[in-house]
Amino acid sequence: MRARTAFLAAALCLSACTEGKSPLAPVDPPGNTDEQPSEPLPATDVLGNGPETARPPPAAEVEPAPVIIPVTGSAAVVGLEEGARGLSSVSQVDVDLTVGGVHGKGTVEVEFVSPAGHAYERRSSVVEAPPEVSHTVRFSLPVAGTTVATTGMSGTWQVRFFLDGQPLTTAAFTLDP
């Protein structure tokens, strides 16, 4: 009897099928007589009022990237004439440092290095200017009546500049014997 019941169930299932369609396929709504599949329903916004439409993501407030002005420095030896480079004729050597891009306050240091390669003198100055403004600072190395003249420290001097402890730029000048 069980075999007969199973056979009848299988036959019933197969008789409900039409060619090309599975008996488990969704059923078209009543009144739809054409063979075209029905159109899917539009998505519904369950939290809103009506059909969901494609919405772009909300525009994020994009702040412009801040313009970072790099720190720059250039040095120039001034007031040292070609003919007056001798230790006996030079009273002092002036070096101008032009620095730009300083954010807030900055400490500029100068180091005068003798021709023998030893640090002779070091000084500092505070610079305060907006980053977009260049600022010039003058440093002077006294020569006449100092150890430079009395011990004959002739040759090429190096001038090193630092901003807040970081190397910035260099310059050089020569004092003749």
Side-chain angles (χ1 to χ4, degrees):
M1 178 89 168
R2 282 188 181 180
R4 189 175 190 166
T5 306
F7 178 74
L8 286 174
L12 180 63
C13 207
L14 287 174
S15 68
C17 291
T18 60
E19 191 173 325
K21 290 195 175 182
S22 164
L24 302 176
V27 179
D28 286 337
N32 189 359
T33 58
D34 60 336
E35 291 294 318
Q36 298 294 333
S38 62
E39 292 293 319
L41 295 175
T44 303
D45 182 2
V46 295
L47 300 176
N49 299 329
E52 177 74 20
T53 57
R55 292 184 218 159
E61 299 265 337
V62 178
E63 294 183 24
V67 176
I68 298 174
I69 299 172
V71 175
T72 59
S74 63
V77 177
V78 294
L80 189 61
E81 298 171 12
E82 189 65 39
R85 289 183 183 240
L87 290 173
S88 59
S89 61
V90 174
S91 61
Q92 70 182 28
V93 177
D94 297 325
V95 184
D96 284 352
L97 171 70
T98 302
V99 63
V102 178
H103 298 274
K105 285 184 181 179
T107 301
V108 174
E109 294 176 282
V110 63
E111 180 179 58
F112 290 95
V113 180
S114 72
H118 304 292
Y120 176 77
E121 190 170 288
R122 190 173 186 125
R123 283 187 250 131
S124 65
S125 178
V126 174
V127 175
E128 185 174 8
E132 61 276 357
V133 175
S134 294
H135 191 74
T136 302
V137 182
R138 177 168 286 179
F139 293 97
S140 298
L141 175 69
V143 176
T146 67
T147 307
V148 175
T150 59
T151 61
M153 298 174 93
S154 62
T156 302
W157 286 72
Q158 297 295 318
V159 187
R160 299 180 189 150
F161 292 96
F162 303 88
L163 177 64
D164 294 329
Q166 299 299 312
L168 186 59
T169 190
T170 62
F173 62 89
T174 302
L175 293 176
D176 296 330

